[in-house]
Amino acid sequence: MKQITQSDLDDLAVGVAILGSGGGGDPSYRRMIAKQQLEKGGPINLLKFSELDSNSIVAPIGFMGAPLVSIERMPSTRQFLSIIPAVEKVYGRKIDALIATEIGGGNAFTPLIVAGKMGIPVVDADTIGRAFPELQHSTCNLFGISASPAVLTDIHGNTRVIIANDAFQIEQQCRLATVEMGSSALLCFYIMNCHEAKKATIPDSFSHGFAIGRSIRQAKESGANPIEALLEYSKGVWLDSGTIIDIEQSISKGFLQGNVLVKTETGIIKISYQNEYLVAFRDETPIISTPDIIAILEIETSTPITSESLAYGLRVAILGLPSPSIWQTEKGLELVGPRSFGYKFDYKPISKRLP
Amino acid sequence: MNNSYIIGIDIGGTNTDATLIDNQSHILFKCKTPTTSPLENGVRTVLQNIIKHKEVIPSAVKGVFVGTTHTTNALLENRDLYKVGVIRIAGHNPDTILPCFGWPQEICQSVFVGCITIDGGYECDGRSITPFVPSQVKEAASKLVEQGAESIAIIGVFSPIISDQETESAKIIQELFGQDFPISLSYHIGGVGFIERENSTILNCALKKPIGQGFRNLERVKSELGINCPLLITQNDGSVIGVQQAVNDPLLTISSGATNSFIGASKLTNLRDAIVVDIGGTSTDIGMVINGYPKRSIHNVRIGGINLNFPIPDVLSLALGGGSYISFDNESRIHIGPKSSGKNIFKEAKLFGGDKLTLSDAAAKIGCFHFSTGNIENVPISQESAHNIIRTATDKIEYCIQRMRGNRQDIPVIAVGGGAPLLENLKGVLLPENADVANAFGAALAEISGTIDTVVNLSNREETLNKLKEEATNIAIKGGADSKKTTIIDVQITPYHYMKNQLARVIIKASGPRHHI
């Protein structure tokens, strides 16, 4: 068992902002919430599956909605306290541990905050390995775990329970509810037992997040190039660098959607996003696409920039990191490949796109 | 047509400097005097000097531009700040992050009185989170003032999109405590991002105290001397604002000192890309100019350890300057600063018969600094010891230069400020003529800007934005900016997500150097 420290939270914030491919929400706000929780509330404990009783019930938890909303209309304590009792009431079982719905972005912190408030542990795992915009984009869905009943709470602590036929319809129903709840809601779904969770989730995702953050921090401390240190650890590539010259965005159907244009030495790179950066184009040709991870870092400080924090005039590096292997399978690509988001081309791994 | 002038003034922690420039940006005269408290006395001295020595006709002065580190110093030294009460308009009570979370404790303790959360605030689609109740504003404000608040910061959820609850709250508070009661509204200070906007609003409130009366007095002093042109204050982005706006939004001026010295250094050397080291009496600022403009940090903007949400120049600051106290520990190791004699150097330093050993004493001992008064016989250290002190200081500065340099190994370094001669013998360092008044020169060169803040339909995005950019550019040109050199320096677009027709609040800023008079 690991007790989370304040400096773990700092490393994690950097690591998961990169894993989020621009989505999952800017970790800075959730990190502050987690830090205030550690400072004023109880400890937060992180377990491995092997340390969990085999009868345990595990609940993935995270925010759903537009990340921009979560940095302006911050969550309330009531919202965090309401969700687990509601889930227990619906399932008629005690929830023994939480995991992250997605390790990418601010949602990595969500189970840590709730766990601290409820006095239960978090398991070192998540159900995406990065961040994705919709609820069917989950390893639990690939492994046939039911997404119903899904439980949502709003900022006032009001709860909705949604039961639907499959993960796609859970997404549609929950999205409608989230829009009504102000385009951001706390969500708990794909509830499973420990045995199922071992099979259907991605293990060690928090450890991975800490390690990425640490690689950047240690490079900074030793005077090495932090971006190169990150690429070496994560086997990624440096696609290009330039200045942000336009950001086109809207909150639509509960998502933050748009395009960001980066002027580089050789031309313009357009990155399309739906919460997450999904595809980068040079001229009209895709140079990287989902499920590979696209990271935008401010070049001088190596700070990852999430989609709601994009700003005119920022000088940025655009990086590509390989996707978790499970999404590169045929079934995985059917769910999260470029065609599933409406693009008319096939996925080509980043390692094969570049010379 | 050669008889029109601009005066640039820099009010630093130690000295008040001034330069007189002609319409070709040549420096005709410069002078320095210790910074005074109140500020206007030093400014009167330099203005009188200029008029007397150059026989300038006051009506030929076309602009007096003032830059200052006064606000920054007030914050860094944590003195002379208003106590601030915070009202959050947020019906759901977002207590998961409390105001001033993560601030340095000392500043938080001396500024933050308390926070009261009241009903109201907006969802992103324009619905109220809970209905706004005006009587709660009255209660909250009264309670905060009772607790010792001298000013009130008001932050409403999604106020950058809908600001009416904030403006209504301000009205209620002014009815209660009078028109002059200091208030800051968050929608005025920044965009979406509640915590950074709240931090900025609180600081803006606190800084109204050191900047308020002092700045109004500057204007009076200028008029008393018969100078009738506008007195303008330089802001963080290198352009100017009027005194009233500086008094309302002191945060806009918080980095003007560094901005001016970086721009001044670039113009003194005609180098458009360089690292600039400004060694003053209290501190040393190290930054970079790229293409003639200070390199900005947009993300992770921190001043005095507080996260804010507007662009400022990227500066590394060292508490090391001409007035820094020198001490030795038990193992004879040299310690420089962080305390400094500041504007009292002419009383406190050994050189001038005082009892404090300062960096200036050591520099004078080895002939690096030259003072018209003072006696190096008063400095009770050996030549060798003085050399060691200077080396310790330059080592510290060199380390910061390397950090700022990153992988740009070939970029030149410009040393400016009163302490610039410290770096005289370092390889690759340029020491331009008039280096000692680079920041006053930079202030005199301040740009004219034009801002458009409007709500438009963006369905024809490119055309609409281009039209607004042209409008902002035209405002700057009308204000006196050179039409050939005016460029767009900022674009902020905040969409109204819930409205049809892609309505958005668009803020565009254009800025350019002054057209020759």
Side-chain angles (χ1 to χ4, degrees), chain A residues 29 72-73 75 77 247 251, chain B residues 95-96 123 158 196 461 497:
Chain A
Y29 275 64
E72 177 63 28
R73 195 205 58 175
T77 301
I247 305 148
I251 296 182
Chain B
D95 54 356
T96 48
E123 300 279 5
F158 275 114
E196 290 85 357
R461 188 181 169 87
H497 300 292

Side-chain angles (χ1 to χ4, degrees), chain A residues 29 32-33 36 71-77 155 180 182 246-251 300 303 305 309 312, chain B residues 92 95-98 101 123 127 157-158 192-197 295 299-300 408 461 491 495 497:
Chain A
Y29 275 64
M32 277 190 273
I33 296 172
Q36 185 171 302
I71 63 167
E72 177 63 28
R73 195 205 58 175
M74 301 182 301
S76 65
T77 301
I155 46 171
E180 286 178 6
D246 197 14
I247 305 148
E248 201 182 314
Q249 61 177 215
S250 64
I251 296 182
E300 310 289 345
T303 308
I305 308 296
S309 304
Y312 177 83
Chain B
H92 64 299
D95 54 356
T96 48
I97 306 175
L98 298 171
F101 183 76
E123 300 279 5
R127 287 175 293 165
V157 177
F158 275 114
V192 169
F194 193 90
I195 291 296
E196 290 85 357
R197 191 170 77 251
K295 193 188 100 190
H299 265 264
N300 297 321
R408 291 192 183 84
R461 188 181 169 87
V491 179
H497 300 292

Side-chain angles (χ1 to χ4, degrees), chain B residues 140-367:
Chain B
S142 306
K143 200 164 171 198
L144 289 168
V145 168
E146 234 167 72
Q147 288 170 9
E150 301 163 304
S151 65
I152 289 180
I154 302 169
I155 305 98
V157 177
F158 275 114
S159 68
I161 299 178
I162 315 176
S163 56
D164 61 346
Q165 296 176 348
E166 284 191 4
T167 42
E168 200 181 332
S169 302
K171 262 192 221 144
I172 295 168
I173 294 172
Q174 283 174 338
E175 274 165 27
L176 206 60
F177 299 116
Q179 288 297 317
D180 292 334
F181 187 85
I183 296 172
S184 280
L185 303 183
S186 82
Y187 87 95
H188 199 61
I189 305 278
V192 169
F194 193 90
I195 291 296
E196 290 85 357
R197 191 170 77 251
E198 179 176 78
N199 286 346
S200 301
T201 311
I202 295 171
L203 274 192
N204 196 57
C205 259
L207 290 170
K208 284 183 187 220
K209 188 172 179 183
I211 220 166
Q213 198 51 45
F215 273 43
R216 291 205 185 88
N217 290 344
L218 294 183
E219 199 154 49
R220 185 173 47 77
V221 161
K222 176 204 62 119
S223 303
E224 279 169 12
L225 293 173
I227 303 173
N228 293 318
C229 68
L231 180 133
L232 298 167
I233 310 293
T234 65
Q235 53 176 342
N236 304 332
D237 63 14
S239 66
V240 286
I241 49 175
V243 168
Q244 189 53 46
Q245 200 188 344
V247 171
N248 287 342
D249 298 326
L251 210 51
L252 295 178
T253 69
I254 197 155
S255 284
S256 71
T259 302
N260 289 338
S261 77
F262 296 169
I263 291 176
S266 163
K267 291 281 163 65
L268 283 175
T269 53
N270 282 321
L271 287 172
R272 295 184 67 77
D273 296 283
I275 287 174
V276 181
V277 183
D278 179 0
I279 308 174
T282 317
S283 64
T284 295
D285 286 341
I286 297 149
M288 199 184 277
V289 281
I290 297 171
N291 212 5
Y293 288 94
K295 193 188 100 190
R296 303 195 302 178
S297 65
I298 300 178
H299 265 264
N300 297 321
V301 172
R302 282 165 81 84
I303 295 177
I306 301 165
N307 287 323
L308 305 170
N309 61 345
F310 53 86
I312 55 162
D314 194 4
V315 182
L316 274 172
S317 276
L318 269 176
L320 183 158
S324 294
Y325 297 149
I326 310 289
S327 59
F328 302 90
D329 64 17
N330 295 339
E331 287 157 44
S332 324
R333 273 185 307 229
I334 299 162
H335 293 272
I336 304 176
K339 287 216 157 120
S340 164
S341 55
K343 58 192 173 207
N344 294 321
I345 185 162
F346 295 103
K347 284 184 215 140
E348 290 186 2
K350 295 274 188 194
L351 198 57
F352 306 107
D355 60 356
K356 294 271 200 258
L357 184 64
T358 68
L359 191 61
S360 289
D361 293 321
K365 190 85 181 180
I366 62 168

Side-chain angles (χ1 to χ4, degrees), chain A residues 43-110:
Chain A
I44 301 170
N45 296 321
L46 188 68
L47 303 181
K48 297 285 180 193
F49 274 122
S50 57
E51 296 170 285
L52 206 61
D53 192 283
S54 60
N55 298 321
S56 305
I57 299 290
V58 177
I61 191 165
F63 278 90
M64 171 175 199
L68 190 74
V69 172
S70 63
I71 63 167
E72 177 63 28
R73 195 205 58 175
M74 301 182 301
S76 65
T77 301
R78 221 173 334 170
Q79 185 172 22
F80 286 122
L81 288 177
S82 306
I83 191 154
I84 297 303
V87 172
E88 289 175 341
K89 205 165 169 182
V90 169
Y91 280 82
R93 289 280 314 258
K94 190 181 168 310
I95 300 299
D96 300 294
L98 303 175
I99 64 170
T101 51
E102 55 185 355
I103 195 67
N107 259 342
F109 290 87
T110 310

